Amino acid sequence: MSIAVKICGLKTPATVTAAVDGGAAMLGFNFYAKSPRYLTPGLAGELGKLVPADIAKVGLVVDATDEIIAGILKEAPLDLLQLHGSETPARVVEIRARFALPVMKVISVAEAADITAARAYEAVSDRLLFDAKPPKSMKDALPGGNALSFDWGLLKDQRFARPWMLAGGLNTGNLAEAVARTGAMAVDTSSGVEDRPGEKNVNKIKEFLALASTL
């Protein structure tokens, strides 16, 4: 697969198996309690047993304390922590040191200044993920997974010191354009392979991965 794919927000054996069999590079488990994609660390640990060692298990947390992260890792061994909140560069450093795991910092994007702000995380995180920043007027907006895209042109010709992923409303209808406009070599989808928030569709997962393999 030329475009690496992370399927995020997985909650069932069937969807995990579909992502694994379809060639996903990363599987995401959501530990943000307010999200419809939330699952307990215990369930994530059980689902993780279905994941081969060459596929990364990613844990999504939002402004989590050390105690919360430690509790998650006790039950669900992970390969990468995805920080999807307002974590500062200093906090990223603390988490990497405390848990000895790679960290991917999510950058919420609405304007060019948000891309500039990402530079502060290049030296302290292992990966960057660019996602759409929800508008302030959006009711009950989540940190991510809102089925929103941002202006992909903001990433055109940008170069970063760390590997980066593109997220934000990606689905089979817009994936090819998103990759072409941004030059992304890795993408993340959650809402784009769902029937409704929190309910993944096995066929949509398979179709998304199949399309990514052709790009």
Side-chain angles (χ1 to χ4, degrees):
M1 179 178 294
S2 57
I3 302 298
V5 176
K6 174 174 169 280
I7 304 292
C8 197
L10 297 165
K11 295 167 59 177
T12 68
T15 55
V16 167
T17 299
V20 168
D21 292 347
M26 299 180 179
L27 306 188
F29 301 110
N30 189 322
F31 300 108
Y32 181 55
K34 295 181 180 181
S35 171
R37 303 170 184 96
Y38 169 80
L39 80 170
T40 64
L43 178 54
E46 289 301 310
L47 293 175
K49 296 176 182 178
L50 303 174
V51 183
D54 61 342
I55 298 178
K57 299 184 293 293
V58 182
L60 185 161
V61 296
V62 178
D63 297 317
T65 64
D66 285 357
E67 290 74 18
I68 289 174
I69 296 173
I72 291 169
L73 294 174
K74 183 178 180 179
E75 298 192 66
L78 299 170
D79 302 302
L80 179 71
L81 290 170
Q82 176 177 325
L83 307 184
H84 217 304
S86 57
E87 299 89 359
T88 64
R91 178 60 177 148
V92 173
V93 171
E94 290 176 357
I95 290 173
R96 289 180 80 243
R98 169 71 173 81
F99 298 102
L101 281 175
V103 168
M104 176 161 63
K105 181 65 183 84
V106 178
I107 310 298
S108 297
V109 179
E111 58 187 7
D114 298 318
I115 303 295
T116 301
R119 301 296 177 182
Y121 293 92
E122 287 184 284
V124 298
S125 61
D126 299 275
R127 290 175 174 270
L128 300 173
L129 187 153
F130 295 97
D131 198 359
K133 180 184 292 184
K136 293 180 180 180
S137 60
M138 186 175 185
K139 184 179 179 181
D140 299 325
L142 297 167
N146 294 297
L148 297 175
S149 298
F150 61 91
D151 178 4
W152 297 321
L154 295 173
L155 284 171
K156 184 178 180 181
D157 299 326
Q158 295 281 351
R159 298 292 182 268
F160 300 95
R162 301 295 185 189
W164 60 276
M165 304 187 81
L166 177 67
L170 298 177
N171 54 52
T172 54
N174 63 17
L175 178 60
E177 180 186 358
V179 168
R181 291 185 59 188
T182 63
M185 294 301 295
V187 298
D188 183 333
T189 187
S190 184
S191 61
V193 291
E194 291 180 335
D195 291 327
R196 56 191 61 82
E199 295 187 22
K200 294 287 186 291
N201 181 304
V202 167
N203 289 329
K204 289 181 180 180
I205 291 173
K206 293 177 179 178
E207 290 166 1
F208 188 94
L209 290 166
L211 175 58
S213 71
T214 69
L215 300 178

